[in-house]
Amino acid sequence: GQRADYELKLNSYDISVDIELADVVRRLRFEHPEVRTLVVGSAKDRIFCSGANIFMLGSSTHTFKVNFCKFTNETRLGLEAMAEECGIHTMAALNGTCAGGGYELALACEEIILQDDGNSTVSLPETPLLAVLPGTGGLTRVVDKRMVRRDLADVFCTVAEGIKGRRAVEWNLVDRVVPASRFKEFISSRAVEAAQAEAPRGRDDGRPGVVLAPLGGSYDADGVTHRFVTARQDGRLLEITLRGPDAAPPADAEAARETANDWWALRAARELDDVLLDLRFNRPDIGLVVLRTEGDSDAVLAHDAFLDAHRDDWFVYEVLATWKRTLKRLDLTARSFFALMEAGSCFSGTLFELALAADRSYMLDDPDHPVAFALS
């Protein structure tokens, strides 16, 4: 576990597990463009996942549990986005009990295969048990994604022992049940079959992926410092400053891959995402976040033009998708955000999204120091 006061029994998960899972999904997209199928399985017999660790939740603050819930759902949304945007088929191989948040993880996959051994079940025991986190997307995905009838969904969330076998298939809670004697063989063959699909945007062009290097920022009580994004805390106020590009766009998509970890378009998005998560989990007292930008608007627009011109390249598309997920993370961060458009700011193109995401935006009115924004 993340702390020493609980153990991750029965393949339960905590924030550490979700951090690793989110990291795996992101690295899969950037570092392994050749992958066509992802199988989410369990290394333990007779248990897939028992859900969020109850001891961790019981000893955590309300604020932490809310942010844990958000991050958990965002990680599952990342799995779904990967399947939709990268053409990677996702399968959940349930070789045992799959309960609560464990079933929510399975629901994030495109296909759910349940072992038919008389004991393996799926359950969302919201009503009969603790229902500590009934908001991480489970029942929504049951009804809206898997199209389970609402009356069956009502019954499903009251059955603590779960649903198994043929009944789970009939209710559309899983796609298929396979006898234990053939389970591993079936998962393997099904994964290979699903991997025959054509990759979008040339992800299988034979070129290696892009290894994501650590950001290497510095963290202390006063804030976070990265190359393009900094955050400075002053009491209940946090000022986030995002600096625009310090170099021209790459010559082409191949050059962008070669300089990926230093390229502004990718690095700035990763740094902003890191600062937002630091805000959520490590700075609970912050009430107001002020968003600032610094740099040349024309430089930002030039990088936007490059991204648009090369969006059919799989790597450039992944950079665009990283911005999309980061801006969604900003939208879902429960703080008040003010954007300040000042002299020397560059709220243009992609960075104008920061102002749109803010609760309020203020622009300096000074004839001697004109301020403007632009769309791309």
Side-chain angles (χ1 to χ4, degrees):
Q2 185 192 33
R3 304 189 307 263
D5 59 338
Y6 64 90
E7 295 179 29
L8 291 177
K9 297 180 179 180
L10 299 177
N11 264 11
S12 59
Y13 64 87
D14 65 353
I15 185 63
S16 300
V17 175
D18 262 8
I19 288 172
E20 291 187 7
L21 179 59
D23 183 66
V24 165
V25 172
R26 174 170 291 188
R27 290 186 181 281
L28 186 60
R29 295 185 65 151
F30 276 100
E31 299 183 7
H32 297 281
E34 74 279 8
V35 170
R36 301 264 55 80
T37 304
L38 171 65
V39 179
V40 182
S42 168
K44 283 184 174 290
D45 292 330
R46 295 181 294 182
I47 180 74
F48 174 76
C49 178
S50 61
N53 188 276
I54 297 301
F55 300 101
M56 178 271 293
L57 293 171
S59 58
S60 298
T61 64
H62 174 73
T63 300
F64 176 86
K65 283 186 279 192
V66 169
N67 285 302
F68 170 69
C69 176
K70 282 186 180 181
F71 185 74
T72 294
N73 191 44
E74 287 167 344
T75 301
R76 280 131 186 77
L77 288 169
L79 265 174
E80 293 173 328
M82 181 184 68
E84 178 182 351
E85 297 168 353
C86 303
I88 298 176
H89 184 71
T90 53
M91 298 170 51
L94 312 184
N95 63 330
T97 300
C98 179
Y103 185 52
E104 290 171 352
L105 175 58
L107 287 169
C109 297
E110 293 182 292
E111 188 174 7
I112 305 175
I113 313 297
L114 178 65
Q115 184 168 279
D116 190 9
D117 55 9
N119 295 309
S120 297
T121 61
V122 294
S123 64
L124 277 180
E126 302 294 327
T127 303
L129 297 180
L130 293 175
V132 178
L133 294 176
T136 52
L139 289 173
T140 302
R141 288 186 173 94
V142 164
V143 174
D144 293 346
K145 181 180 180 179
R146 296 201 60 86
M147 307 302 292
V148 174
R149 277 171 31 196
R150 291 179 181 270
D151 59 332
L152 297 180
D154 286 344
V155 174
F156 177 54
C157 69
T158 65
V159 180
E161 63 272 20
I163 307 296
K164 58 186 174 183
R166 191 183 303 275
R167 190 181 181 194
V169 177
E170 291 173 351
W171 287 20
N172 206 34
L173 298 169
V174 302
D175 294 289
R176 193 181 312 228
V177 290
V178 178
S181 60
R182 296 193 296 109
F183 186 74
K184 291 184 179 180
E185 176 186 354
F186 177 84
I187 293 298
S188 178
S189 62
R190 177 71 188 105
V192 172
E193 177 188 359
Q196 305 308 312
E198 183 178 355
R201 286 172 289 276
R203 287 184 63 88
D204 56 357
D205 61 5
R207 289 181 292 182
V210 174
V211 178
L212 298 178
L215 293 175
S218 61
Y219 306 81
D220 54 42
D222 295 327
V224 181
T225 302
H226 287 300
R227 179 175 170 183
F228 295 112
V229 182
T230 59
R232 297 266 64 87
Q233 181 173 353
D234 182 7
R236 290 176 51 80
L237 171 69
L238 186 73
E239 297 191 9
I240 296 178
T241 302
L242 198 153
R243 285 175 289 281
D246 56 2
D252 50 34
E254 187 63 34
R257 278 190 288 272
E258 292 174 356
T259 60
N261 286 293
D262 292 317
W263 182 26
W264 177 85
L266 176 57
R267 188 177 183 93
R270 292 181 63 202
E271 291 178 357
L272 178 59
D273 193 49
D274 179 74
V275 165
L276 291 173
L277 291 175
D278 178 79
L279 164 64
R280 286 190 188 180
F281 286 100
N282 300 329
R283 305 180 194 279
D285 295 332
I286 296 296
L288 173 64
V289 180
V290 172
L291 297 172
R292 285 188 165 96
T293 59
E294 296 177 354
D296 183 358
S297 289
D298 289 339
V300 177
L301 296 175
H303 280 260
D304 274 12
F306 176 89
L307 288 167
D308 187 53
H310 297 277
R311 64 187 307 126
D312 289 334
D313 178 85
W314 74 264
F315 169 69
V316 175
Y317 179 82
E318 288 299 335
V319 175
L320 284 166
T322 299
W323 272 105
K324 176 182 176 180
R325 291 191 300 275
T326 301
L327 291 167
K328 282 188 175 183
R329 185 106 69 193
L330 175 60
D331 274 330
L332 295 173
T333 299
R335 300 292 196 280
S336 294
F337 283 86
F338 288 3
L340 300 188
M341 300 182 183
E342 306 163 300
S345 65
C346 55
F347 281 101
S348 294
T350 296
L351 296 191
F352 186 61
E353 298 282 356
L354 301 178
L356 294 176
D359 301 287
R360 296 183 182 183
S361 298
Y362 297 94
M363 177 180 283
L364 176 68
D365 183 12
D366 184 351
D368 296 327
H369 301 89
V371 180
F373 63 83
L375 301 180
S376 60

